[in-house]
Amino acid sequence: MSLKLKLVSPDKEKATHCPCCDSTDVSQEKIKQEFEYGVGKQKTTLYADVVHYVCNACEFEFLDDSSEDARTEAVCRHLGLLTPNEIRNIRKSAGLSRSDFSKLTGIGTASLARWESGQSLQSLANDKYLRLLSCDYCRSLLVNSSRKNIDQKLHPKPLRPRQFRVLTPTDDDIRKSDAFSLREVV
């Protein structure tokens, strides 16, 4: 039996149908999948628990999208980064939509969506920032900040013109200014 692997949709209906012959006689088992991550000297072998499907009619083997999620989680653990679910939970624990979370943190909405879906990984700096936002004290600051911003949107304060301090040059400043000249350095 040759090994043929194909990723299919996580839709339960499709997972119970063989994508090759459309048979419903499909068995599944959870396996530990080995995969390579990195290049050159940084290359390492990682493992992820995935659901492996086998069509009993044509012996076609396939995986679903949950397998990709499991591999992404393994990579995040290897790199010491928050997983997509952990990032999503930080935002949800603050009770904020992606848009509101983005406005309050300065993290782009598209970046946040890619991190939460596992399409890309956050940088180490952004990971540390998200970890700070996950602590109770910082989260309360974030939530209070969001309430304050909402209140300000509903009841904005009138803008006051900025006042600048006026500097008046002294006689000594004027004398130094008049005496100043650029000279060529030899």
Side-chain angles (χ1 to χ4, degrees), residues 38-144:
V39 293
K41 292 182 180 180
Q42 304 296 324
K43 190 183 228 181
T44 187
T45 301
L46 300 178
Y47 299 90
D49 292 327
V50 299
V51 180
H52 179 251
Y53 298 93
V54 177
C55 175
N56 296 321
C58 70
E59 297 183 358
F60 187 75
E61 299 180 24
F62 59 101
L63 306 171
D64 64 12
D65 287 342
S66 68
S67 301
E68 188 62 32
D69 296 341
R71 285 190 291 273
T72 299
E73 187 170 322
V75 170
C76 288
R77 295 278 178 239
H78 171 71
L79 297 173
L81 298 175
L82 292 167
T83 65
N85 283 334
E86 291 170 331
I87 294 171
R88 191 177 311 106
N89 289 338
I90 290 169
R91 177 182 57 79
K92 287 184 175 183
S93 69
L96 298 169
S97 67
R98 270 191 199 137
S99 177
D100 289 340
F101 190 84
S102 294
K103 287 175 190 170
L104 289 170
T105 61
I107 296 172
T109 308
S111 295
L112 189 58
R114 284 190 299 271
W115 300 341
E116 287 185 1
S117 67
Q119 290 175 343
S120 67
L121 300 179
Q122 66 279 14
S123 67
L124 185 58
N126 281 321
D127 190 77
K128 288 180 179 184
Y129 182 37
L130 289 167
R131 286 178 192 275
L132 282 172
L133 295 174
S134 71
C135 78
D136 289 337
Y137 177 71
C138 293
R139 188 171 37 253
S140 69
L141 289 176
L142 185 66
V143 171
N144 289 338

Side-chain angles (χ1 to χ4, degrees), residues 1 15-29 52-62:
M1 173 175 84
T16 58
H17 285 77
C18 175
C20 188
C21 71
D22 205 32
S23 169
T24 57
D25 188 14
V26 176
S27 59
Q28 69 181 38
E29 67 176 327
H52 179 251
Y53 298 93
V54 177
C55 175
N56 296 321
C58 70
E59 297 183 358
F60 187 75
E61 299 180 24
F62 59 101

